[in-house]
Amino acid sequence: MSDPIRIAILGASGYTGAELIRLLGTHSRAQLAILTADRRAGQTLGAVFPHLAHVPAPPLVAIDDVTDWSGVDVVFCCLPHATTQSVIAALPDHLKIVDLSADFRLADVDVYAQWYGGPHKAPELQKSAVYGLTELARPEVAAARLVANPGCYPTGPHLALVPLIESGLIDPDGIIIDAKSGVSGAGRSAKEGLLHGEVSEGIHAYGVASHRHSPEIEQALSRAAGRSVMASFTPHLMPMNRGILCTMYVQAHENADAATLLAKLAVRYKGEPFVKILPEGTTPHTRHVRGSNLCLIGAVNDRVPGRVILVSAIDNLVKGAAGQAVQNMNVMMGLPETDGLSQYPMFP
Amino acid sequence: MSDPIRIAILGASGYTGAELIRLLGTHSRAQLAILTADRRAGQTLGAVFPHLAHVPAPPLVAIDDVTDWSGVDVVFCCLPHATTQSVIAALPDHLKIVDLSADFRLADVDVYAQWYGGPHKAPELQKSAVYGLTELARPEVAAARLVANPGCYPTGPHLALVPLIESGLIDPDGIIIDAKSGVSGAGRSAKEGLLHGEVSEGIHAYGVASHRHSPEIEQALSRAAGRSVMASFTPHLMPMNRGILCTMYVQAHENADAATLLAKLAVRYKGEPFVKILPEGTTPHTRHVRGSNLCLIGAVNDRVPGRVILVSAIDNLVKGAAGQAVQNMNVMMGLPETDGLSQYPMFP
Amino acid sequence: MSDPIRIAILGASGYTGAELIRLLGTHSRAQLAILTADRRAGQTLGAVFPHLAHVPAPPLVAIDDVTDWSGVDVVFCCLPHATTQSVIAALPDHLKIVDLSADFRLADVDVYAQWYGGPHKAPELQKSAVYGLTELARPEVAAARLVANPGCYPTGPHLALVPLIESGLIDPDGIIIDAKSGVSGAGRSAKEGLLHGEVSEGIHAYGVASHRHSPEIEQALSRAAGRSVMASFTPHLMPMNRGILCTMYVQAHENADAATLLAKLAVRYKGEPFVKILPEGTTPHTRHVRGSNLCLIGAVNDRVPGRVILVSAIDNLVKGAAGQAVQNMNVMMGLPETDGLSQYPMFP
Amino acid sequence: MSDPIRIAILGASGYTGAELIRLLGTHSRAQLAILTADRRAGQTLGAVFPHLAHVPAPPLVAIDDVTDWSGVDVVFCCLPHATTQSVIAALPDHLKIVDLSADFRLADVDVYAQWYGGPHKAPELQKSAVYGLTELARPEVAAARLVANPGCYPTGPHLALVPLIESGLIDPDGIIIDAKSGVSGAGRSAKEGLLHGEVSEGIHAYGVASHRHSPEIEQALSRAAGRSVMASFTPHLMPMNRGILCTMYVQAHENADAATLLAKLAVRYKGEPFVKILPEGTTPHTRHVRGSNLCLIGAVNDRVPGRVILVSAIDNLVKGAAGQAVQNMNVMMGLPETDGLSQYPMFP
């Protein structure tokens, strides 16, 4: 084995932290150096996550108690939105950082302020941050010190829609994204609305027309279109732990249909290890990607002329969070991109 | 107690049959007279549904063995699509019939033939059948001998959209209905795709742009619009047993918004015991209606100007099947419409 | 309708409170007069339980703000353990009370103190409290002012085992009760361990050899045996909302076997509307009782000679809590015992 | 990479086959050479398991069409019970075989005949078969050509109880094993009882005192005791896909308690990569092992003197089937035992 990549995970007691540890357990070079979790400081990893009790890992510490970062190469930051900016701004320069919060995803700090309830605290740092949807920004990620890992909801729609808008095959206006997510996307906080009794055996929409992933989705669609674009985005909470399915309704341009769109995507993602384009007329299940870093995309012609229905599926904790973070780390460190990410989906 | 209403349930061994029996158990006048189930003929109800073992009920018989219908007032027909037409055509005239299959839902027998793979076998009877979305066809249901009970998917969208199209508040074209259903909608057949291992912890779309409820949805929207209308309809299978949520994307006409639409619906359904309009900005959960005959409808203005997102929730086995069937029976027999249907939702 | 029975529910914002309201909605005479919930005081019932938004009910109030109890006949007390004693002690004499907490279940206040971490605050009142497993204490319940409603876990084992011990058919020593409960038994508190992500797709034992329902179980077994008896009781948390299954391993006395035991139970519960004894060799599913007040009991001879395996199933929120509470109220008020409790189980 | 180990999986279209493929995907030397599935012959792996569509694998073939076994080193046999004996008897001598059916698990072919409804068809071959609970039979597995992979239920109890009986710390008589399994243990057959609607939101016991894993459990306990031993074994079906929890009630011999038993197990399994002994007073969750080859064992002193409650947790598809099969292959082939099995559990 080559030299280890020494990893710090900030905010390691949430589901994303656990998932990073699971994936890094199969990485050929990753080594857990620091795990922080303020409310669980002093505890072992096994006390917080009994399923990881047998993993070689340091005990959890409070972030303020980390004074020496010299033994760390890469930081995964899983802290809550808004608290992340100042933490990252204070990290030493030698560290590569993948931030899994929303704090550096919006290039325009005014848009950030509007959606996140206050001014951005590190606007200079924001300028250097790269939005890390790996397949769409590989060279920028490779050159970055700070990567803003995409949100779980935008990942599938970006992969499906950006190449189609860029190529002019679909109308960038009027796109509707009906999204359905497993509950792990809401984190591990003890909230009434996340109890088993409140989540199982039922579904609902939430954050309708007001979810914070809206500006993130629109940022990428707008860049692809070369002008400002709005999209309808409606998230729904599903009675399951993992997985996001996005059903996207788009208007194809003249002469384009599902086959045309899929052909374009197939070319765009040829050779990509994690993005797979399905045969026309088929659409993916989230259970086909559970536990893996895959994003599956399918398309069907609607009965309404010109309309195409695209469906993407990811595991929100993997390609929608920890997996893409590891993928970005691999790119940033010049490692094989699939290292730590080659596990097959787990079914059932 | 007044004279009993003597009930026959044809095809009583499926989930819809069981749900009819559950609801009728709280009906003030219903009495189970005949239960048929060809493959389970000779068995007790408790052998087929142990949760109903303590219910007073006749044993199951084969439908061909029922020769005397004189002790029956009302027939609920829960037979598979396509087999129903000839069965109902052969029933004696004195029977009132609520058909829960799709066989008599499409007024145009050519459309039926196109979607159901063969010519209609009772086209004359079709002419007399009333499509029984109770709140939208109460007088016709009251006068009918044969009511075609609506499909589970169309019920919510019809209740939400028909009044809005009729009043000209929304554009009848371009409507998108993204629907999510619990697995009981697929029935009790032993199919690999319905196994717990294949349904739980995952979601997927199915029948995209090809589901048989499409023409049923469009039939009502077209009638409301006074011209032929198409709609996008995408069903999804949810890892839960009961409930349908329909997220509907519509374009409001000038000056109309979510508040306008909700006000129209509130007037339309004023005093209705089962259709409830939520305050603007809120949307229903399927768990708010589980086990009840309620249909909840909410609406939110989208960020995209002019677009409104409507969400309806029903229990697919109640308002989407057995409950609406009992409601229709009550109307046909001149009984109080809520008889057998006043149970509150069960949560959690 | 006769005069209404005017009901107060103290602690109405939990699952038990919601279930009481659901059941009382089908009661011929119950009328909701007062609902208390300190943290939700001032809110409507619909704000706390959207599935009950359409139910006629007063708004929630803080318990200390209730000064006039003259408009109330019956109190259901759903407050947390330990806080209940002083609340009930302060209620006016004209009220009949069903307490769903554990505060008055243990006749011996020293045992209470040992298991609940402090001295009993109303030892005099305790003397007048009746332990209300209805089928085993009907005359006492009828005469009581204060009924301690049994815990969810003890209900099934008491119904199955007490008659067998009383009749000397089984050995009162060495009984093992392996219990499995749905998560609603743990209430609606926002705790990490009750999140969907922590409960679904997995099972575990908890409170092994230390659960507070142990002394309650043993109290009844000891009374039946006429001497002090211990039992092994191991609860497990199930990834479902409702239902308790108890698998009980007992040693039958000479010449007794599953058939003997079932025959004894069948005689004991003949005519009981809610306790049903299954044919030998069959055992119940919790889904056969979901939403109903039923308790099903089955038995099978083990391969180990003399050992019999009994299985009981209830819905923990109904026969294990709210349903039995309504049943007790009916008995206390001289009403038909099944009023409000005749709903069939809901499946699936 | 060293020379590949060329693998044939017979009966690859079930959950166990899929799980073998998932695990072997992380094995350093395994290579899929032949996949058979008679009813799916001619189809791609992706047609049968879309989550494995992107895995390099040969198409499925009918087992009778496999005539050349020269390109195969190891056979995993996942065929139904009873059909396996003749298939394996016909395989060429150079193949190492891990049989995941029950056909070669019972050393006494008369016991086999009694429990499996007919005489054993390969009694000579049975004599050479090794019962492959790896940790308890490592040398025998290493020397075997044919390993009978243990059943999912026996694995946890064997690991927990065999060392305790061998050491005389517990009474081999009177042991009670209350077992709870996820539904994947019942396979992928389309049966009514395995539908989502029949499995979710409910639990039940099945095969009480008659499950075919009983003689397998007793075979190991009897060997450990040096005499014939019976045990009570009651399986329950859980509304989840993966995991088996076994709650075991044992009588400790004088002076022994939970601490003594755990200390014995800790010594016995010191250094084992997959068997982990928990601290006294703690018991495992199945979700702590999901997707991994771990077996966790905990113990608690019961309140009933002398009784100890042991709890084991495994993933039925991994340590209870495919994982243990890979582990056995590694031992048979002289490979590192953890190869292909070092994935951490997946949570949530």
Side-chain angles (χ1 to χ4, degrees):
Chain A
M1 174 161 131
S2 318
D3 283 349
I5 311 283
R6 299 161 303 172
I7 308 281
I9 301 177
L10 312 186
S13 63
Y15 291 142
T16 306
E19 190 69 358
L20 278 168
I21 295 170
R22 180 178 78 90
L23 296 172
L24 293 172
T26 67
H27 195 282
S28 67
R29 291 181 57 191
Q31 188 180 74
L32 298 179
I34 293 176
L35 303 177
T36 84
D38 285 9
R39 287 182 306 162
R40 313 298 290 263
Q43 298 184 18
T44 63
L45 181 60
V48 176
F49 286 115
H51 72 288
L52 299 175
H54 314 292
V55 169
L60 299 165
V61 296
I63 192 166
D64 287 345
D65 291 341
V66 181
T67 49
D68 179 3
W69 295 91
S70 63
V72 173
D73 302 304
V74 174
V75 170
F76 291 103
C77 189
C78 309
L79 298 172
H81 305 316
T83 68
T84 301
Q85 294 150 40
S86 37
V87 168
I88 290 182
L91 290 176
D93 286 348
H94 80 277
L95 296 171
K96 302 262 188 180
I97 303 158
V98 181
D99 178 26
L100 289 92
S101 85
D103 277 18
F104 292 96
R105 290 181 196 151
L106 298 176
D108 184 335
V109 292
D110 293 337
V111 175
Y112 174 87
Q114 172 191 341
W115 284 85
Y116 286 87
H120 201 281
K121 294 170 196 152
E124 283 307 307
L125 193 55
Q126 175 63 60
K127 291 177 189 164
S128 73
V130 167
Y131 184 81
L133 200 307
T134 327
E135 286 81 3
L136 300 181
R138 193 169 278 122
E140 296 83 353
V141 168
R145 177 182 167 253
L146 167 58
V147 165
N149 213 55
C152 52
Y153 279 122
T155 293
H158 285 183
L159 288 169
L161 299 175
V162 163
L164 302 180
I165 294 175
E166 285 180 346
S167 63
L169 285 172
I170 63 171
D171 188 344
D173 297 312
I175 293 172
I176 287 172
I177 301 169
D178 192 282
K180 299 99 178 164
S181 175
V183 69
S184 64
R188 207 189 189 191
S189 309
K191 297 177 184 164
E192 183 182 282
L194 303 180
L195 297 177
H196 187 275
E198 315 279 322
V199 171
S200 69
E201 262 296 305
I203 52 175
H204 63 278
Y206 69 99
V208 181
S210 61
H211 193 282
R212 284 168 168 179
H213 285 179
S214 275
E216 189 179 334
I217 291 171
E218 294 175 355
Q219 172 177 276
L221 303 194
S222 297
R223 280 180 190 167
R227 62 177 172 81
S228 181
V229 163
M230 296 187 88
S232 293
F233 167 61
T234 310
H236 299 75
L237 189 68
M238 300 286 105
M240 61 183 194
N241 289 325
R242 287 172 179 250
I244 291 182
L245 196 81
C246 288
T247 310
M248 295 166 270
Y249 301 87
V250 304
Q251 193 66 28
H253 282 165
E254 216 169 326
N255 298 325
D257 60 8
T260 326
L261 272 47
L262 289 167
K264 168 62 63 180
L265 293 172
V267 169
R268 179 66 183 78
Y269 296 117
K270 190 176 179 201
E272 287 289 351
F274 301 123
V275 182
K276 302 294 177 187
I277 309 304
L278 304 190
E280 188 196 336
T282 63
T283 57
H285 298 210
T286 59
R287 55 185 75 78
H288 298 163
V289 302
R290 186 166 55 217
S292 82
N293 201 46
L294 291 172
C295 175
L296 305 182
I297 301 173
V300 182
N301 286 316
D302 195 6
R303 298 176 61 239
V304 177
R307 190 173 279 166
V308 177
I309 302 168
L310 290 145
V311 181
S312 65
I314 63 168
D315 182 323
N316 58 298
L317 286 178
V318 191
K319 185 60 178 171
Q324 184 143 258
V326 171
Q327 188 181 357
N328 281 327
M329 175 191 80
N330 287 339
V331 173
M332 293 163 87
M333 303 297 284
L335 307 172
E337 196 166 320
T338 59
D339 201 349
L341 298 171
S342 50
Q343 300 185 18
Y344 297 161
M346 193 169 95
F347 172 83
Chain B
M1 173 164 131
S2 317
D3 283 348
I5 310 283
R6 298 161 303 173
I7 308 282
I9 301 176
L10 312 186
S13 63
Y15 291 142
T16 306
E19 190 69 357
L20 279 168
I21 295 170
R22 179 177 79 89
L23 296 172
L24 293 172
T26 68
H27 196 281
S28 67
R29 291 180 58 192
Q31 188 179 72
L32 297 179
I34 293 176
L35 302 177
T36 83
D38 285 9
R39 285 182 307 161
R40 312 299 290 262
Q43 300 185 18
T44 63
L45 182 59
V48 176
F49 286 115
H51 72 289
L52 298 175
H54 314 293
V55 169
L60 299 166
V61 296
I63 192 167
D64 288 345
D65 291 341
V66 181
T67 50
D68 181 2
W69 295 91
S70 63
V72 173
D73 302 303
V74 175
V75 170
F76 291 102
C77 190
C78 309
L79 298 172
H81 305 316
T83 68
T84 302
Q85 295 150 38
S86 37
V87 168
I88 289 182
L91 290 176
D93 286 347
H94 78 278
L95 296 172
K96 302 261 188 181
I97 304 159
V98 181
D99 178 26
L100 289 93
S101 86
D103 276 18
F104 292 96
R105 289 181 196 151
L106 298 176
D108 184 336
V109 293
D110 292 338
V111 175
Y112 174 88
Q114 172 190 342
W115 284 85
Y116 286 86
H120 201 281
K121 293 169 195 153
E124 283 308 307
L125 193 54
Q126 175 63 59
K127 290 176 189 163
S128 73
V130 167
Y131 184 82
L133 201 304
T134 327
E135 287 80 4
L136 300 181
R138 193 170 276 122
E140 296 82 355
V141 169
R145 175 181 169 255
L146 169 58
V147 166
N149 213 54
C152 53
Y153 279 121
T155 293
H158 285 183
L159 287 169
L161 300 175
V162 164
L164 302 180
I165 294 176
E166 285 180 346
S167 62
L169 285 172
I170 63 171
D171 188 343
D173 297 312
I175 293 172
I176 287 172
I177 301 169
D178 191 282
K180 299 99 178 163
S181 175
V183 69
S184 64
R188 206 188 191 192
S189 309
K191 296 176 185 165
E192 184 182 281
L194 304 180
L195 297 178
H196 187 275
E198 314 280 321
V199 170
S200 69
E201 264 295 305
I203 52 174
H204 62 278
Y206 68 100
V208 181
S210 61
H211 193 281
R212 285 168 167 179
H213 285 180
S214 275
E216 190 180 334
I217 291 172
E218 293 174 355
Q219 172 177 276
L221 303 193
S222 297
R223 281 180 190 169
R227 62 176 172 81
S228 180
V229 162
M230 296 187 88
S232 293
F233 167 62
T234 312
H236 299 75
L237 189 67
M238 299 286 105
M240 63 185 192
N241 289 324
R242 287 172 179 251
I244 292 183
L245 196 82
C246 288
T247 310
M248 295 166 271
Y249 301 86
V250 304
Q251 193 67 28
H253 282 165
E254 218 170 324
N255 299 325
D257 60 8
T260 326
L261 273 46
L262 290 167
K264 168 62 63 181
L265 292 172
V267 169
R268 179 67 183 78
Y269 296 117
K270 190 175 179 200
E272 287 290 351
F274 301 123
V275 182
K276 303 294 177 187
I277 308 304
L278 304 190
E280 189 195 336
T282 63
T283 56
H285 298 210
T286 60
R287 54 184 76 77
H288 299 163
V289 301
R290 187 167 53 217
S292 82
N293 201 45
L294 291 173
C295 176
L296 306 182
I297 302 173
V300 182
N301 286 317
D302 195 6
R303 299 176 60 238
V304 176
R307 190 173 279 166
V308 178
I309 302 168
L310 290 145
V311 181
S312 66
I314 62 168
D315 183 323
N316 58 298
L317 286 179
V318 193
K319 185 62 177 169
Q324 183 141 259
V326 171
Q327 188 180 358
N328 281 327
M329 176 192 79
N330 288 338
V331 173
M332 294 163 86
M333 304 296 286
L335 306 173
E337 197 166 320
T338 58
D339 202 349
L341 299 170
S342 50
Q343 301 185 17
Y344 297 162
M346 193 169 97
F347 172 82
Chain C
M1 175 164 131
S2 317
D3 283 349
I5 311 282
R6 298 161 303 173
I7 308 283
I9 300 176
L10 312 186
S13 64
Y15 290 143
T16 306
E19 189 69 357
L20 278 167
I21 295 170
R22 179 177 79 89
L23 296 172
L24 294 172
T26 68
H27 196 282
S28 67
R29 291 181 55 191
Q31 189 180 73
L32 297 179
I34 293 176
L35 302 177
T36 83
D38 286 9
R39 286 182 306 162
R40 313 298 290 262
Q43 299 185 18
T44 63
L45 181 59
V48 176
F49 285 116
H51 72 289
L52 298 175
H54 314 293
V55 169
L60 299 166
V61 296
I63 191 165
D64 288 345
D65 292 341
V66 182
T67 50
D68 180 3
W69 295 91
S70 64
V72 173
D73 302 303
V74 175
V75 170
F76 292 103
C77 189
C78 309
L79 298 172
H81 305 317
T83 68
T84 302
Q85 296 151 39
S86 37
V87 168
I88 289 182
L91 290 176
D93 286 347
H94 79 278
L95 295 171
K96 301 261 188 181
I97 303 158
V98 181
D99 178 26
L100 290 93
S101 86
D103 276 18
F104 292 96
R105 289 182 197 150
L106 297 175
D108 184 337
V109 293
D110 292 338
V111 174
Y112 174 87
Q114 173 190 341
W115 284 85
Y116 286 86
H120 202 281
K121 295 169 195 150
E124 284 307 307
L125 193 56
Q126 174 63 59
K127 291 177 190 162
S128 73
V130 167
Y131 184 82
L133 200 303
T134 326
E135 287 80 5
L136 299 181
R138 193 170 278 122
E140 296 83 353
V141 168
R145 175 180 169 255
L146 168 58
V147 165
N149 212 55
C152 54
Y153 279 122
T155 293
H158 285 181
L159 287 169
L161 300 175
V162 163
L164 302 179
I165 294 175
E166 285 179 345
S167 63
L169 285 172
I170 63 171
D171 188 345
D173 297 313
I175 293 172
I176 287 172
I177 301 169
D178 192 282
K180 299 99 179 162
S181 175
V183 70
S184 64
R188 207 190 191 190
S189 310
K191 297 176 184 166
E192 183 181 281
L194 304 180
L195 296 178
H196 187 276
E198 313 282 321
V199 170
S200 69
E201 264 295 305
I203 52 176
H204 63 279
Y206 69 99
V208 181
S210 61
H211 193 281
R212 286 169 167 178
H213 284 181
S214 274
E216 189 179 336
I217 291 172
E218 294 175 355
Q219 172 176 276
L221 302 193
S222 297
R223 281 180 188 167
R227 62 177 171 81
S228 180
V229 163
M230 296 188 87
S232 293
F233 167 61
T234 311
H236 299 75
L237 189 68
M238 298 287 106
M240 62 185 192
N241 289 324
R242 288 172 177 251
I244 292 182
L245 196 82
C246 288
T247 311
M248 295 166 270
Y249 301 86
V250 305
Q251 193 68 27
H253 283 163
E254 217 169 322
N255 299 325
D257 60 7
T260 326
L261 274 46
L262 290 167
K264 168 62 64 181
L265 292 173
V267 169
R268 179 66 183 80
Y269 296 117
K270 190 176 178 200
E272 287 290 352
F274 301 124
V275 182
K276 303 294 178 188
I277 309 304
L278 304 190
E280 189 196 336
T282 62
T283 56
H285 298 209
T286 60
R287 55 184 76 78
H288 298 163
V289 300
R290 186 166 54 217
S292 82
N293 201 46
L294 292 172
C295 175
L296 305 182
I297 302 173
V300 182
N301 286 316
D302 195 5
R303 298 176 61 237
V304 177
R307 189 172 279 165
V308 178
I309 303 168
L310 290 144
V311 181
S312 65
I314 62 166
D315 183 322
N316 59 298
L317 286 179
V318 192
K319 186 62 178 168
Q324 183 143 257
V326 171
Q327 188 181 358
N328 281 327
M329 175 192 79
N330 288 338
V331 173
M332 294 164 87
M333 304 297 283
L335 307 173
E337 196 166 320
T338 58
D339 201 350
L341 299 171
S342 50
Q343 300 185 17
Y344 297 161
M346 194 169 97
F347 172 82
Chain D
M1 175 162 131
S2 317
D3 282 348
I5 311 282
R6 298 161 304 172
I7 308 282
I9 301 176
L10 312 186
S13 63
Y15 291 143
T16 306
E19 190 69 358
L20 279 167
I21 295 170
R22 179 177 79 90
L23 296 171
L24 293 172
T26 68
H27 196 283
S28 67
R29 291 181 56 192
Q31 188 180 74
L32 298 179
I34 293 177
L35 303 177
T36 83
D38 285 9
R39 286 184 305 163
R40 313 298 291 261
Q43 299 184 19
T44 63
L45 181 59
V48 176
F49 287 116
H51 73 288
L52 298 175
H54 314 292
V55 168
L60 299 166
V61 297
I63 191 165
D64 287 346
D65 291 342
V66 181
T67 49
D68 180 2
W69 295 91
S70 63
V72 173
D73 301 302
V74 174
V75 170
F76 291 104
C77 188
C78 310
L79 298 172
H81 305 316
T83 67
T84 301
Q85 295 150 40
S86 38
V87 168
I88 290 182
L91 290 175
D93 287 347
H94 78 278
L95 295 172
K96 302 262 188 182
I97 303 158
V98 181
D99 178 25
L100 290 93
S101 85
D103 276 18
F104 292 95
R105 290 181 196 151
L106 298 175
D108 184 336
V109 292
D110 293 336
V111 175
Y112 174 88
Q114 173 190 340
W115 284 85
Y116 285 88
H120 201 280
K121 294 170 195 151
E124 284 308 306
L125 193 55
Q126 175 63 58
K127 291 176 188 164
S128 73
V130 168
Y131 184 81
L133 200 305
T134 327
E135 287 81 3
L136 300 180
R138 192 170 279 122
E140 296 83 354
V141 169
R145 176 183 168 252
L146 168 58
V147 165
N149 213 55
C152 53
Y153 279 122
T155 293
H158 285 182
L159 288 169
L161 300 175
V162 163
L164 302 179
I165 294 177
E166 285 179 347
S167 62
L169 285 172
I170 63 171
D171 188 345
D173 297 312
I175 293 172
I176 286 172
I177 302 169
D178 192 281
K180 298 99 179 163
S181 174
V183 70
S184 64
R188 205 190 191 190
S189 308
K191 297 177 184 165
E192 184 183 280
L194 304 180
L195 296 178
H196 187 275
E198 315 280 321
V199 171
S200 69
E201 262 298 303
I203 52 175
H204 62 278
Y206 69 99
V208 181
S210 61
H211 193 282
R212 285 169 168 178
H213 285 178
S214 275
E216 189 179 334
I217 291 172
E218 294 175 354
Q219 172 176 275
L221 303 194
S222 298
R223 280 180 189 166
R227 61 177 172 82
S228 180
V229 163
M230 296 188 87
S232 292
F233 167 62
T234 311
H236 299 75
L237 189 66
M238 299 287 105
M240 62 184 194
N241 289 325
R242 287 172 178 250
I244 291 182
L245 196 82
C246 288
T247 310
M248 295 166 270
Y249 301 88
V250 305
Q251 193 67 28
H253 282 163
E254 217 169 324
N255 299 325
D257 60 7
T260 327
L261 305 190
L262 289 167
K264 169 61 64 179
L265 292 173
V267 169
R268 178 66 183 79
Y269 296 117
K270 189 174 178 202
E272 286 290 351
F274 301 123
V275 182
K276 302 295 177 186
I277 309 304
L278 304 190
E280 188 195 336
T282 63
T283 56
H285 298 210
T286 60
R287 55 184 76 76
H288 299 162
V289 302
R290 186 166 54 218
S292 82
N293 201 46
L294 292 171
C295 176
L296 305 182
I297 302 173
V300 182
N301 286 316
D302 196 5
R303 298 177 59 239
V304 177
R307 190 172 279 165
V308 177
I309 302 168
L310 291 144
V311 181
S312 66
I314 62 168
D315 182 322
N316 59 297
L317 286 179
V318 192
K319 186 60 178 171
Q324 184 142 256
V326 171
Q327 188 182 358
N328 280 328
M329 175 192 80
N330 287 338
V331 173
M332 294 164 87
M333 303 297 284
L335 307 173
E337 198 167 318
T338 59
D339 201 349
L341 298 171
S342 49
Q343 301 185 16
Y344 297 162
M346 193 169 97
F347 172 82

